[in-house]
Amino acid sequence: MEFSIKSTSPDKHKTACAVLGIYQQRKLTPAARALDQAAGGIVSELLKRGDCDGKPGSTLLVQAPAGAPCERIVLVGLGKEKEVSDNIYCDAVRAALKAIGGTGVREVSSYLAEVQVGQRDLDWKIEQAALVAGETLYRFDQLKSEKDDARPALHKLTLMITAAETKAAEAAVARGQAIVKAMNLAKDLGNLPGNICTPTYLANQAKAVAKANGLKIQVLEQKDLEKLGMGSFLSVAKGSEQPPRFIVMHYHGGAKGERPVVLVGKGITFDSGGISLKPGAEMDEMKYDMCGAASVLGSMQALAELALPLNVVGLIPTCENLPSGRANKPGDIVTSMSGQTIEVLNTDAEGRLILCDALTYAERFDPAAVIDIATLTGACVIALGHVVSGLLANDDDLAREVFQAGESSGDRCWQLPLHDDYQEQLKSNFADMANIGGRPAGTITASAFLSRFAKKYKWAHLDVAGTAWKSGKEKGGTGRPVPLLVHFLAGRVKK
Ligand code: BES
Ligand code: MN
Ligand code: ZN
């Protein structure tokens, strides 16, 4: 999918399909009015006949009359003029693209960016249109022997703006394009099954991304991890026949010596629970337990494409969590790279066991901030559902910054508390800590565990268990939280 901007008026702009907004009741947006005047009143005639009333999300696809510069018109309802919300705007773009879906149209031009959406600026409207298009057009059929006939033909979306807006809009369109590409990468990696997307596969993908974008990369293997003393990470990995990998990626866009942001992604390519085996229902979805890792890979790619003047390190501990004669057993005590010992009371709480060693490894970069991204707890899905990601942090300014990146990107998160009081729940009779804290506040105690390994820097944690993929009929990776991460990084540039 290609995105671009243009500033030709609708009465002159040649396109296969023009997308025009209609307010309730039957009120034309300025672009719709301009085209209406140029094309003999076609739009107002349709409205008069009652074919389109401007209700949010309603659409009407018509062939434009001879003489009009466009071949087709999609009218899309926006509801009341003064009440266009984020969701109404995004739903309108989605509905318009769905209306075109069956037509074989390869290129469309949207005039919806002229619509006033609350306090949102043009950048937001452009970027969100790109994100919605990316979401609508994404398909994952690489493992089907017969490709879907209904594959969308659409491959180009032009966002129409005024000439004065061009400069700002260019940056927004580039960002939207980079985010969509990064989300598609993250979705693909998430959707790939565990027998294909293994730790080795993930490392090879990371190498390919690094090579294509001029990033430095290092992939540590079993022996290297042993030397580093990553006893916690290795204890999870040893239950599987697949060897673990620890991916270290460097993007140098900032000044030499400038402290980097470190992103850490949970890369469990399949989580069976281990000896504390999960129930069978929906266990297939645990192939998505590497979505944190995928979002880091995608964000590193986007960062390089946008050439942001920052230094960023991406860390991905990746392995499988399987039961076997060599697997962790409940009650086993392991020694983390930090030297702290951990009693593994539940082998299914493996994410924190691999992340804790990655967090200790992050210390060597003297990071300006560390963010880890993980499909960490089922409890987070219960607390926040599939709408927002969980956010926890040891620094309030950093938490605010991450929260704000969620707001500006539409990829939202919500902070949960991380008071010392929760540490109580991690007490162990036999080791420095247990790896589980009981049923109450499961998302918080998981972060309380991680916080013990993140004492030397500012750290935030994103629990994306509810947001990284969808279940049910629409099962599939979402590409989240790539938009949030890219906005966070872009926001760091201005400082
Ligand atoms: N990957 C899971 C978390 C998860 C579960 C994400 C369901 C999305 C949907 C994680 O490794 C896990 O199993 N966590 C346990 C922790 C518990 C044993 C303390 C959980 O949430 O049940
Ligand atoms: Mn688990
Ligand atoms: Zn897991």
Side-chain angles (χ1 to χ4, degrees), residues 272-285:
S272 70
I275 297 294
S276 312
L277 194 64
K278 287 182 180 294
E282 278 123 53
M283 205 208 271
D284 66 292
E285 296 189 11

Side-chain angles (χ1 to χ4, degrees), residues 232-485:
S232 185
F233 174 29
L234 285 169
S235 79
V236 177
K238 74 187 179 181
S240 159
E241 299 288 325
Q242 292 289 339
R245 293 287 183 261
F246 190 89
I247 305 164
V248 185
M249 301 174 86
H250 294 265
Y251 169 74
H252 283 288
K256 203 160 183 223
E258 192 183 292
R259 297 166 77 198
V261 172
V262 178
L263 302 177
V264 182
K266 173 179 174 184
I268 296 288
T269 58
F270 189 77
D271 180 12
S272 70
I275 297 294
S276 312
L277 194 64
K278 287 182 180 294
E282 278 123 53
M283 205 208 271
D284 66 292
E285 296 189 11
M286 283 298 117
K287 70 176 181 178
Y288 290 110
D289 213 16
M290 34 55 69
C291 283
S295 74
V296 170
L297 248 182
S299 300
M300 296 298 291
Q301 175 187 276
L303 179 69
E305 276 183 10
L306 296 171
L308 295 184
L310 289 174
N311 294 333
V312 181
V313 178
L315 299 179
I316 298 175
T318 172
C319 68
E320 293 184 322
N321 185 25
L322 292 181
S324 85
R326 279 189 303 275
N328 267 335
K329 301 173 293 297
D332 283 2
I333 294 178
V334 301
T335 304
S336 66
M337 183 179 172
S338 73
Q340 300 177 89
T341 58
I342 304 161
E343 186 183 14
V344 182
L345 287 177
N346 189 320
T347 67
D348 197 10
E350 86 297 340
R352 61 199 81 178
L353 294 177
I354 75 168
L355 289 170
C356 69
D357 282 342
L359 290 173
T360 301
Y361 188 86
E363 287 175 6
R364 67 184 56 206
F365 303 110
D366 183 26
V370 177
I371 304 180
D372 80 77
I373 305 98
T375 48
L376 203 62
T377 63
C380 191
V381 190
I382 303 303
L384 300 171
H386 304 285
V387 178
V388 297
S389 304
L391 163 66
L392 299 104
N394 66 8
D395 181 89
D396 283 337
D397 291 327
L398 180 60
R400 249 189 299 279
E401 208 178 322
V402 175
F403 172 79
Q404 214 40 59
E407 292 300 301
S408 67
S409 64
D411 181 5
R412 303 207 307 265
C413 62
W414 194 261
Q415 193 179 4
L416 298 173
L418 189 53
H419 303 120
D420 278 343
D421 312 50
Y422 291 102
Q423 296 291 350
E424 289 285 308
Q425 287 173 243
L426 296 172
K427 276 200 173 137
S428 157
N429 285 354
F430 307 110
D432 297 341
M433 71 195 86
N435 78 327
I436 52 170
R439 297 251 295 157
T443 302
I444 299 176
T445 54
S447 331
F449 178 97
L450 293 178
S451 74
R452 296 177 180 223
F453 301 85
K455 292 222 161 99
K456 304 225 168 108
Y457 44 70
K458 294 179 182 177
W459 160 78
H461 160 68
L462 286 167
D463 194 329
V464 293
T467 51
W469 77 91
K470 288 184 187 166
S471 309
K473 238 180 108 223
E474 306 245 278
K475 194 189 289 179
T478 60
R480 291 176 71 179
V482 166
L484 181 156
L485 293 172

Side-chain angles (χ1 to χ4, degrees), residues 220-229 234 244:
L220 307 184
E221 305 192 349
Q222 177 89 21
K223 278 213 177 74
D224 308 307
L225 306 175
E226 280 164 11
K227 258 185 232 144
L228 286 164
L234 285 169

Side-chain angles (χ1 to χ4, degrees), residues 174-231:
R175 189 150 84 187
Q177 180 98 54
I179 292 176
V180 167
K181 196 170 155 199
M183 289 175 88
N184 287 348
L185 171 65
K187 287 178 193 179
D188 281 349
L189 291 172
N191 289 334
L192 282 169
N195 64 329
I196 294 177
C197 185
T198 60
T200 307
Y201 182 92
L202 211 50
N204 288 339
Q205 290 296 303
K207 282 181 191 163
V209 168
K211 191 161 182 212
N213 294 281
L215 306 176
K216 257 189 19 195
I217 184 166
Q218 213 184 342
V219 176
L220 307 184
E221 305 192 349
Q222 177 89 21
K223 278 213 177 74
D224 308 307
L225 306 175
E226 280 164 11
K227 258 185 232 144
L228 286 164
M230 291 195 177

Side-chain angles (χ1 to χ4, degrees), residues 54-81:
K55 277 215 192 77
S58 62
T59 55
L60 180 67
L61 170 71
V62 292
Q63 302 294 318
C70 51
E71 294 165 22
R72 297 169 193 76
I73 301 170
V74 171
L75 300 180
V76 55
L78 294 165
K80 300 226 171 71
E81 183 171 358

